[in-house]
Amino acid sequence: MPRVVLAMSGGVDSSASAVLLKRQGYDVVGLFMRTGTHGHDQPGLDTRPDNKKGCCSAIDAGDARRVADRLDIPFYALDFEAEFGKIIDYFAAEYARGRTPNPCVVCNTWLKFGQLWTFARKLSAEFIATGHYARVVNGPGGAELHKGLDADKDQSYVLHGIRREVLPHLLFPVGGHTKPEIRELAREAGLGAVAEKPDSVEICFVPSGNHVDVVRSRRPEVAAAGVIVERDGTVLGEHDGIDRFTIGQRKGLGVAAGRKRFVLEILPESRTVVVGDPEDLLATGLVASQVNWLIDPPAEPLHCAAKIRYRHAGVPATATATPDGGAVVTFDEAQPAVTPGQAVAFYDGTRVLGGGWIERATRE
């Protein structure tokens, strides 16, 4: 039987993945990644059982172990606190630069599909698996990354940074199912305790939703006063730190301008937040860096769909690879709130072609 190391978070998706892999005849080994985000010792975290929406707690580790015991699969819990600490440092540093980070992409690239594959090879495993809603399809040129079948749960956007050579070794058991199907499968398998668990929040180390405390615990210098201004320089008010803002933000600005204002730009050097009208947010394209291609890097401009944030539908665009490993992207129609620090992913239908990091928006 081919051996697969499955990342088990204690949630319904990875637990159902274990069931599916066992049914498919794999020799499954479960792995829980301890990240060190255990509770009140981490600013901004709230891991009380009645408020738990994260995926890193001791409760989750216990749930994952119980599922492994019930399914009679070997189970390991390894300490990745140091590695995960680097992800939180990145998160705080990006806010300090006036950017909006995407730690899920970084975690998947650095940790889940980096360290996980390293561990799997030590166990002579041929595959690694997670509970992500995505699919690996065997295409004419080899393994391809595709969207998950459940459009509402598709997570392919946060997976574009996976190394191309790892794709043939990836399994996403729940990717061909809908979320209701997965919950029902878990119930039928006798995993009722995890079948009803709520979905984890997007940022597992900020389950309270208050990222500011986490940022300032790592970068206290960010808590510095600045001004909120109109595009013409008119001062509307003050703020206590640029980490409270992101491009496109409308609520919580703390100023009264008499009409709706949106964050257009964040200038970390002067701690200035520039606001304006919604039409001022429109960008004709973007410049991306560190593009990871899951196809042969295109020698010519590539027409594709570009997705610029997790809940963005993706729009027709042209991506041109640049010699520095980046890409210049031009949208067929201007898009609002192109945000430095977020990721852009390129698609051909359901297939992920690659993606990179947004450095800046471009406007004609």
mmCIF file of all heavy atoms in Angstrom, residues 64-106:
data_model
loop_
_atom_site.group_PDB
_atom_site.id
_atom_site.type_symbol
_atom_site.label_atom_id
_atom_site.label_comp_id
_atom_site.label_asym_id
_atom_site.label_seq_id
_atom_site.Cartn_x
_atom_site.Cartn_y
_atom_site.Cartn_z
ATOM 1 N N ALA A 64 -7.656 15.354 17.054
ATOM 2 C CA ALA A 64 -6.938 14.672 15.981
ATOM 3 C C ALA A 64 -6.458 13.295 16.438
ATOM 4 O O ALA A 64 -6.557 12.306 15.702
ATOM 5 C CB ALA A 64 -5.755 15.522 15.517
ATOM 6 N N ARG A 65 -5.945 13.228 17.668
ATOM 7 C CA ARG A 65 -5.472 11.939 18.179
ATOM 8 C C ARG A 65 -6.623 10.939 18.327
ATOM 9 O O ARG A 65 -6.471 9.761 18.002
ATOM 10 C CB ARG A 65 -4.762 12.136 19.521
ATOM 11 C CG ARG A 65 -4.164 10.849 20.083
ATOM 12 C CD ARG A 65 -3.415 11.098 21.370
ATOM 13 N NE ARG A 65 -2.233 11.907 21.159
ATOM 14 C CZ ARG A 65 -1.060 11.426 20.751
ATOM 15 N NH1 ARG A 65 -0.941 10.133 20.467
ATOM 16 N NH2 ARG A 65 -0.026 12.226 20.602
ATOM 17 N N ARG A 66 -7.772 11.406 18.809
ATOM 18 C CA ARG A 66 -8.913 10.507 18.975
ATOM 19 C C ARG A 66 -9.400 9.963 17.629
ATOM 20 O O ARG A 66 -9.797 8.797 17.522
ATOM 21 C CB ARG A 66 -10.042 11.225 19.719
ATOM 22 C CG ARG A 66 -9.813 11.311 21.227
ATOM 23 C CD ARG A 66 -10.999 11.913 21.934
ATOM 24 N NE ARG A 66 -11.098 13.343 21.738
ATOM 25 C CZ ARG A 66 -10.460 14.235 22.490
ATOM 26 N NH1 ARG A 66 -9.661 13.846 23.475
ATOM 27 N NH2 ARG A 66 -10.594 15.535 22.248
ATOM 28 N N VAL A 67 -9.392 10.825 16.602
ATOM 29 C CA VAL A 67 -9.778 10.367 15.269
ATOM 30 C C VAL A 67 -8.796 9.309 14.774
ATOM 31 O O VAL A 67 -9.196 8.268 14.234
ATOM 32 C CB VAL A 67 -9.843 11.554 14.283
ATOM 33 C CG1 VAL A 67 -9.984 11.052 12.846
ATOM 34 C CG2 VAL A 67 -11.006 12.477 14.629
ATOM 35 N N ALA A 68 -7.497 9.572 14.970
ATOM 36 C CA ALA A 68 -6.485 8.605 14.539
ATOM 37 C C ALA A 68 -6.656 7.275 15.268
ATOM 38 O O ALA A 68 -6.546 6.199 14.660
ATOM 39 C CB ALA A 68 -5.087 9.172 14.787
ATOM 40 N N ASP A 69 -6.932 7.333 16.571
ATOM 41 C CA ASP A 69 -7.139 6.099 17.334
ATOM 42 C C ASP A 69 -8.359 5.341 16.812
ATOM 43 O O ASP A 69 -8.315 4.105 16.673
ATOM 44 C CB ASP A 69 -7.328 6.434 18.816
ATOM 45 C CG ASP A 69 -6.032 6.874 19.485
ATOM 46 O OD1 ASP A 69 -4.956 6.638 18.892
ATOM 47 O OD2 ASP A 69 -6.094 7.448 20.586
ATOM 48 N N ARG A 70 -9.429 6.059 16.538
ATOM 49 C CA ARG A 70 -10.658 5.398 16.071
ATOM 50 C C ARG A 70 -10.433 4.732 14.715
ATOM 51 O O ARG A 70 -10.981 3.648 14.444
ATOM 52 C CB ARG A 70 -11.804 6.409 15.974
ATOM 53 C CG ARG A 70 -13.121 5.760 15.547
ATOM 54 C CD ARG A 70 -14.287 6.705 15.616
ATOM 55 N NE ARG A 70 -15.536 6.036 15.265
ATOM 56 C CZ ARG A 70 -16.282 5.336 16.101
ATOM 57 N NH1 ARG A 70 -15.917 5.217 17.367
ATOM 58 N NH2 ARG A 70 -17.400 4.742 15.697
ATOM 59 N N LEU A 71 -9.635 5.372 13.870
ATOM 60 C CA LEU A 71 -9.386 4.828 12.537
ATOM 61 C C LEU A 71 -8.189 3.890 12.500
ATOM 62 O O LEU A 71 -7.853 3.354 11.443
ATOM 63 C CB LEU A 71 -9.171 5.987 11.542
ATOM 64 C CG LEU A 71 -10.355 6.937 11.362
ATOM 65 C CD1 LEU A 71 -9.987 8.070 10.397
ATOM 66 C CD2 LEU A 71 -11.588 6.192 10.860
ATOM 67 N N ASP A 72 -7.527 3.732 13.666
ATOM 68 C CA ASP A 72 -6.384 2.827 13.796
ATOM 69 C C ASP A 72 -5.255 3.187 12.833
ATOM 70 O O ASP A 72 -4.769 2.365 12.060
ATOM 71 C CB ASP A 72 -6.831 1.372 13.570
ATOM 72 C CG ASP A 72 -5.757 0.370 13.985
ATOM 73 O OD1 ASP A 72 -4.941 0.709 14.872
ATOM 74 O OD2 ASP A 72 -5.718 -0.744 13.420
ATOM 75 N N ILE A 73 -4.854 4.465 12.883
ATOM 76 C CA ILE A 73 -3.715 4.908 12.077
ATOM 77 C C ILE A 73 -2.649 5.491 13.002
ATOM 78 O O ILE A 73 -2.973 6.080 14.045
ATOM 79 C CB ILE A 73 -4.126 5.949 11.007
ATOM 80 C CG1 ILE A 73 -4.699 7.216 11.656
ATOM 81 C CG2 ILE A 73 -5.129 5.351 10.027
ATOM 82 C CD1 ILE A 73 -5.047 8.295 10.645
ATOM 83 N N PRO A 74 -1.363 5.328 12.672
ATOM 84 C CA PRO A 74 -0.299 5.917 13.485
ATOM 85 C C PRO A 74 -0.460 7.436 13.544
ATOM 86 O O PRO A 74 -0.943 8.064 12.591
ATOM 87 C CB PRO A 74 0.977 5.530 12.735
ATOM 88 C CG PRO A 74 0.586 4.404 11.847
ATOM 89 C CD PRO A 74 -0.852 4.610 11.503
ATOM 90 N N PHE A 75 -0.041 8.027 14.647
ATOM 91 C CA PHE A 75 -0.253 9.464 14.853
ATOM 92 C C PHE A 75 0.978 10.081 15.501
ATOM 93 O O PHE A 75 1.515 9.543 16.471
ATOM 94 C CB PHE A 75 -1.477 9.688 15.741
ATOM 95 C CG PHE A 75 -1.799 11.134 16.000
ATOM 96 C CD1 PHE A 75 -2.473 11.895 15.049
ATOM 97 C CD2 PHE A 75 -1.426 11.744 17.190
ATOM 98 C CE1 PHE A 75 -2.765 13.228 15.291
ATOM 99 C CE2 PHE A 75 -1.714 13.070 17.440
ATOM 100 C CZ PHE A 75 -2.391 13.815 16.479
ATOM 101 N N TYR A 76 1.407 11.197 14.939
ATOM 102 C CA TYR A 76 2.535 11.950 15.482
ATOM 103 C C TYR A 76 2.092 13.386 15.743
ATOM 104 O O TYR A 76 1.256 13.928 15.007
ATOM 105 C CB TYR A 76 3.708 11.990 14.497
ATOM 106 C CG TYR A 76 4.337 10.647 14.188
ATOM 107 C CD1 TYR A 76 3.795 9.803 13.212
ATOM 108 C CD2 TYR A 76 5.477 10.232 14.855
ATOM 109 C CE1 TYR A 76 4.367 8.576 12.919
ATOM 110 C CE2 TYR A 76 6.079 9.004 14.560
ATOM 111 C CZ TYR A 76 5.512 8.190 13.591
ATOM 112 O OH TYR A 76 6.098 6.988 13.306
ATOM 113 N N ALA A 77 2.675 13.988 16.762
ATOM 114 C CA ALA A 77 2.493 15.418 17.010
ATOM 115 C C ALA A 77 3.879 16.023 17.106
ATOM 116 O O ALA A 77 4.653 15.684 18.012
ATOM 117 C CB ALA A 77 1.706 15.658 18.296
ATOM 118 N N LEU A 78 4.230 16.883 16.154
ATOM 119 C CA LEU A 78 5.559 17.471 16.105
ATOM 120 C C LEU A 78 5.505 18.959 16.405
ATOM 121 O O LEU A 78 4.521 19.643 16.110
ATOM 122 C CB LEU A 78 6.185 17.244 14.719
ATOM 123 C CG LEU A 78 6.422 15.790 14.290
ATOM 124 C CD1 LEU A 78 7.183 15.762 12.971
ATOM 125 C CD2 LEU A 78 7.190 15.032 15.361
ATOM 126 N N ASP A 79 6.587 19.467 16.984
ATOM 127 C CA ASP A 79 6.673 20.866 17.395
ATOM 128 C C ASP A 79 7.208 21.718 16.249
ATOM 129 O O ASP A 79 8.368 21.569 15.849
ATOM 130 C CB ASP A 79 7.590 20.990 18.612
ATOM 131 C CG ASP A 79 7.677 22.411 19.136
ATOM 132 O OD1 ASP A 79 6.907 23.273 18.653
ATOM 133 O OD2 ASP A 79 8.506 22.665 20.019
ATOM 134 N N PHE A 80 6.361 22.601 15.729
ATOM 135 C CA PHE A 80 6.770 23.542 14.688
ATOM 136 C C PHE A 80 6.643 24.981 15.189
ATOM 137 O O PHE A 80 6.417 25.902 14.410
ATOM 138 C CB PHE A 80 5.912 23.355 13.430
ATOM 139 C CG PHE A 80 6.196 22.069 12.701
ATOM 140 C CD1 PHE A 80 5.393 20.955 12.892
ATOM 141 C CD2 PHE A 80 7.274 21.968 11.835
ATOM 142 C CE1 PHE A 80 5.639 19.770 12.221
ATOM 143 C CE2 PHE A 80 7.535 20.781 11.162
ATOM 144 C CZ PHE A 80 6.719 19.675 11.359
ATOM 145 N N GLU A 81 6.786 25.166 16.509
ATOM 146 C CA GLU A 81 6.592 26.491 17.084
ATOM 147 C C GLU A 81 7.580 27.507 16.516
ATOM 148 O O GLU A 81 7.208 28.640 16.204
ATOM 149 C CB GLU A 81 6.718 26.437 18.609
ATOM 150 C CG GLU A 81 6.454 27.774 19.280
ATOM 151 C CD GLU A 81 6.377 27.662 20.784
ATOM 152 O OE1 GLU A 81 6.427 26.529 21.311
ATOM 153 O OE2 GLU A 81 6.272 28.709 21.445
ATOM 154 N N ALA A 82 8.852 27.114 16.362
ATOM 155 C CA ALA A 82 9.853 28.050 15.845
ATOM 156 C C ALA A 82 9.522 28.466 14.416
ATOM 157 O O ALA A 82 9.585 29.652 14.070
ATOM 158 C CB ALA A 82 11.243 27.419 15.904
ATOM 159 N N GLU A 83 9.147 27.481 13.587
ATOM 160 C CA GLU A 83 8.810 27.789 12.199
ATOM 161 C C GLU A 83 7.569 28.672 12.125
ATOM 162 O O GLU A 83 7.499 29.612 11.327
ATOM 163 C CB GLU A 83 8.581 26.501 11.412
ATOM 164 C CG GLU A 83 9.827 25.671 11.166
ATOM 165 C CD GLU A 83 10.160 24.749 12.325
ATOM 166 O OE1 GLU A 83 9.516 24.880 13.399
ATOM 167 O OE2 GLU A 83 11.065 23.914 12.179
ATOM 168 N N PHE A 84 6.574 28.360 12.977
ATOM 169 C CA PHE A 84 5.346 29.137 12.944
ATOM 170 C C PHE A 84 5.576 30.542 13.475
ATOM 171 O O PHE A 84 4.931 31.495 13.044
ATOM 172 C CB PHE A 84 4.264 28.430 13.764
ATOM 173 C CG PHE A 84 2.871 28.855 13.395
ATOM 174 C CD1 PHE A 84 2.310 28.463 12.192
ATOM 175 C CD2 PHE A 84 2.121 29.646 14.242
ATOM 176 C CE1 PHE A 84 1.031 28.842 11.844
ATOM 177 C CE2 PHE A 84 0.835 30.030 13.899
ATOM 178 C CZ PHE A 84 0.288 29.629 12.698
ATOM 179 N N GLY A 85 6.524 30.665 14.418
ATOM 180 C CA GLY A 85 6.866 31.989 14.922
ATOM 181 C C GLY A 85 7.376 32.906 13.822
ATOM 182 O O GLY A 85 7.115 34.120 13.829
ATOM 183 N N LYS A 86 8.070 32.333 12.847
ATOM 184 C CA LYS A 86 8.557 33.132 11.714
ATOM 185 C C LYS A 86 7.390 33.652 10.876
ATOM 186 O O LYS A 86 7.456 34.752 10.318
ATOM 187 C CB LYS A 86 9.492 32.291 10.851
ATOM 188 C CG LYS A 86 10.784 31.888 11.551
ATOM 189 C CD LYS A 86 11.632 30.995 10.665
ATOM 190 C CE LYS A 86 12.887 30.529 11.383
ATOM 191 N NZ LYS A 86 13.694 29.600 10.545
ATOM 192 N N ILE A 87 6.323 32.869 10.791
ATOM 193 C CA ILE A 87 5.141 33.307 10.040
ATOM 194 C C ILE A 87 4.464 34.470 10.751
ATOM 195 O O ILE A 87 4.039 35.448 10.115
ATOM 196 C CB ILE A 87 4.164 32.125 9.848
ATOM 197 C CG1 ILE A 87 4.819 31.049 8.973
ATOM 198 C CG2 ILE A 87 2.857 32.598 9.218
ATOM 199 C CD1 ILE A 87 4.030 29.762 8.883
ATOM 200 N N ILE A 88 4.378 34.409 12.081
ATOM 201 C CA ILE A 88 3.781 35.514 12.828
ATOM 202 C C ILE A 88 4.667 36.764 12.726
ATOM 203 O O ILE A 88 4.166 37.887 12.616
ATOM 204 C CB ILE A 88 3.548 35.123 14.300
ATOM 205 C CG1 ILE A 88 2.660 33.882 14.378
ATOM 206 C CG2 ILE A 88 2.895 36.267 15.066
ATOM 207 C CD1 ILE A 88 2.429 33.353 15.785
ATOM 208 N N ASP A 89 5.986 36.569 12.727
ATOM 209 C CA ASP A 89 6.899 37.708 12.535
ATOM 210 C C ASP A 89 6.671 38.366 11.178
ATOM 211 O O ASP A 89 6.654 39.600 11.056
ATOM 212 C CB ASP A 89 8.355 37.246 12.650
ATOM 213 C CG ASP A 89 8.773 36.956 14.088
ATOM 214 O OD1 ASP A 89 8.116 37.466 15.014
ATOM 215 O OD2 ASP A 89 9.760 36.221 14.276
ATOM 216 N N TYR A 90 6.534 37.534 10.142
ATOM 217 C CA TYR A 90 6.240 38.058 8.804
ATOM 218 C C TYR A 90 4.943 38.850 8.820
ATOM 219 O O TYR A 90 4.848 39.936 8.244
ATOM 220 C CB TYR A 90 6.159 36.892 7.809
ATOM 221 C CG TYR A 90 5.096 37.052 6.746
ATOM 222 C CD1 TYR A 90 5.327 37.818 5.601
ATOM 223 C CD2 TYR A 90 3.843 36.451 6.895
ATOM 224 C CE1 TYR A 90 4.337 37.986 4.639
ATOM 225 C CE2 TYR A 90 2.859 36.605 5.950
ATOM 226 C CZ TYR A 90 3.107 37.367 4.821
ATOM 227 O OH TYR A 90 2.120 37.548 3.877
ATOM 228 N N PHE A 91 3.911 38.313 9.470
ATOM 229 C CA PHE A 91 2.604 38.949 9.559
ATOM 230 C C PHE A 91 2.728 40.351 10.149
ATOM 231 O O PHE A 91 2.208 41.330 9.599
ATOM 232 C CB PHE A 91 1.716 38.060 10.434
ATOM 233 C CG PHE A 91 0.319 38.563 10.671
ATOM 234 C CD1 PHE A 91 -0.670 38.376 9.718
ATOM 235 C CD2 PHE A 91 -0.018 39.182 11.868
ATOM 236 C CE1 PHE A 91 -1.975 38.802 9.943
ATOM 237 C CE2 PHE A 91 -1.311 39.607 12.097
ATOM 238 C CZ PHE A 91 -2.293 39.429 11.137
ATOM 239 N N ALA A 92 3.442 40.463 11.262
ATOM 240 C CA ALA A 92 3.598 41.755 11.919
ATOM 241 C C ALA A 92 4.452 42.708 11.084
ATOM 242 O O ALA A 92 4.156 43.908 10.985
ATOM 243 C CB ALA A 92 4.220 41.554 13.305
ATOM 244 N N ALA A 93 5.506 42.176 10.466
ATOM 245 C CA ALA A 93 6.394 43.020 9.673
ATOM 246 C C ALA A 93 5.685 43.619 8.460
ATOM 247 O O ALA A 93 5.942 44.773 8.088
ATOM 248 C CB ALA A 93 7.613 42.211 9.220
ATOM 249 N N GLU A 94 4.790 42.867 7.844
ATOM 250 C CA GLU A 94 4.068 43.384 6.689
ATOM 251 C C GLU A 94 3.164 44.542 7.082
ATOM 252 O O GLU A 94 3.103 45.561 6.390
ATOM 253 C CB GLU A 94 3.232 42.267 6.040
ATOM 254 C CG GLU A 94 4.048 41.278 5.249
ATOM 255 C CD GLU A 94 4.564 41.882 3.943
ATOM 256 O OE1 GLU A 94 5.647 42.498 3.993
ATOM 257 O OE2 GLU A 94 3.903 41.760 2.903
ATOM 258 N N TYR A 95 2.464 44.429 8.213
ATOM 259 C CA TYR A 95 1.637 45.544 8.675
ATOM 260 C C TYR A 95 2.499 46.761 8.988
ATOM 261 O O TYR A 95 2.098 47.894 8.733
ATOM 262 C CB TYR A 95 0.820 45.134 9.899
ATOM 263 C CG TYR A 95 -0.519 44.523 9.558
ATOM 264 C CD1 TYR A 95 -0.771 43.172 9.776
ATOM 265 C CD2 TYR A 95 -1.540 45.293 9.013
ATOM 266 C CE1 TYR A 95 -2.005 42.608 9.458
ATOM 267 C CE2 TYR A 95 -2.775 44.743 8.686
ATOM 268 C CZ TYR A 95 -2.999 43.398 8.913
ATOM 269 O OH TYR A 95 -4.212 42.854 8.587
ATOM 270 N N ALA A 96 3.679 46.537 9.522
ATOM 271 C CA ALA A 96 4.579 47.657 9.824
ATOM 272 C C ALA A 96 5.047 48.360 8.559
ATOM 273 O O ALA A 96 5.413 49.544 8.595
ATOM 274 C CB ALA A 96 5.783 47.155 10.620
ATOM 275 N N ARG A 97 5.019 47.653 7.430
ATOM 276 C CA ARG A 97 5.415 48.230 6.140
ATOM 277 C C ARG A 97 4.236 48.866 5.403
ATOM 278 O O ARG A 97 4.386 49.301 4.272
ATOM 279 C CB ARG A 97 6.026 47.143 5.245
ATOM 280 C CG ARG A 97 7.326 46.551 5.753
ATOM 281 C CD ARG A 97 7.764 45.388 4.879
ATOM 282 N NE ARG A 97 7.979 45.798 3.489
ATOM 283 C CZ ARG A 97 8.054 44.953 2.466
ATOM 284 N NH1 ARG A 97 7.886 43.651 2.659
ATOM 285 N NH2 ARG A 97 8.263 45.408 1.241
ATOM 286 N N GLY A 98 3.071 48.859 6.045
ATOM 287 C CA GLY A 98 1.895 49.418 5.395
ATOM 288 C C GLY A 98 1.262 48.478 4.402
ATOM 289 O O GLY A 98 0.487 48.895 3.536
ATOM 290 N N ARG A 99 1.552 47.195 4.528
ATOM 291 C CA ARG A 99 1.009 46.189 3.627
ATOM 292 C C ARG A 99 0.023 45.300 4.379
ATOM 293 O O ARG A 99 -0.052 45.336 5.609
ATOM 294 C CB ARG A 99 2.152 45.332 3.042
ATOM 295 C CG ARG A 99 3.081 46.134 2.144
ATOM 296 C CD ARG A 99 4.437 45.455 1.976
ATOM 297 N NE ARG A 99 4.370 44.128 1.397
ATOM 298 C CZ ARG A 99 4.511 43.838 0.111
ATOM 299 N NH1 ARG A 99 4.710 44.816 -0.767
ATOM 300 N NH2 ARG A 99 4.485 42.598 -0.322
ATOM 301 N N THR A 100 -0.740 44.492 3.642
ATOM 302 C CA THR A 100 -1.701 43.577 4.246
ATOM 303 C C THR A 100 -1.244 42.152 3.967
ATOM 304 O O THR A 100 -1.302 41.692 2.828
ATOM 305 C CB THR A 100 -3.114 43.803 3.678
ATOM 306 O OG1 THR A 100 -3.498 45.162 3.905
ATOM 307 C CG2 THR A 100 -4.115 42.883 4.365
ATOM 308 N N PRO A 101 -0.775 41.430 4.985
ATOM 309 C CA PRO A 101 -0.189 40.109 4.769
ATOM 310 C C PRO A 101 -1.229 39.042 4.471
ATOM 311 O O PRO A 101 -2.421 39.207 4.742
ATOM 312 C CB PRO A 101 0.514 39.830 6.101
ATOM 313 C CG PRO A 101 -0.306 40.586 7.105
ATOM 314 C CD PRO A 101 -0.745 41.850 6.399
ATOM 315 N N ASN A 102 -0.751 37.924 3.940
ATOM 316 C CA ASN A 102 -1.584 36.751 3.735
ATOM 317 C C ASN A 102 -0.854 35.545 4.333
ATOM 318 O O ASN A 102 -0.152 34.810 3.631
ATOM 319 C CB ASN A 102 -1.877 36.515 2.255
ATOM 320 C CG ASN A 102 -3.023 35.542 2.053
ATOM 321 O OD1 ASN A 102 -3.088 34.515 2.722
ATOM 322 N ND2 ASN A 102 -3.929 35.867 1.152
ATOM 323 N N PRO A 103 -0.990 35.349 5.651
ATOM 324 C CA PRO A 103 -0.223 34.290 6.310
ATOM 325 C C PRO A 103 -0.618 32.883 5.880
ATOM 326 O O PRO A 103 0.185 31.957 6.006
ATOM 327 C CB PRO A 103 -0.519 34.530 7.800
ATOM 328 C CG PRO A 103 -1.827 35.248 7.814
ATOM 329 C CD PRO A 103 -1.825 36.114 6.593
ATOM 330 N N CYS A 104 -1.838 32.695 5.369
ATOM 331 C CA CYS A 104 -2.245 31.354 4.937
ATOM 332 C C CYS A 104 -1.403 30.885 3.750
ATOM 333 O O CYS A 104 -1.012 29.720 3.683
ATOM 334 C CB CYS A 104 -3.723 31.338 4.585
ATOM 335 S SG CYS A 104 -4.808 31.596 5.996
ATOM 336 N N VAL A 105 -1.122 31.787 2.820
ATOM 337 C CA VAL A 105 -0.277 31.424 1.680
ATOM 338 C C VAL A 105 1.124 31.073 2.167
ATOM 339 O O VAL A 105 1.723 30.074 1.755
ATOM 340 C CB VAL A 105 -0.225 32.571 0.656
ATOM 341 C CG1 VAL A 105 0.788 32.250 -0.448
ATOM 342 C CG2 VAL A 105 -1.598 32.808 0.049
ATOM 343 N N VAL A 106 1.657 31.904 3.077
ATOM 344 C CA VAL A 106 3.004 31.681 3.593
ATOM 345 C C VAL A 106 3.073 30.371 4.371
ATOM 346 O O VAL A 106 4.009 29.588 4.226
ATOM 347 C CB VAL A 106 3.442 32.869 4.482
ATOM 348 C CG1 VAL A 106 4.777 32.581 5.156
ATOM 349 C CG2 VAL A 106 3.550 34.131 3.640
#
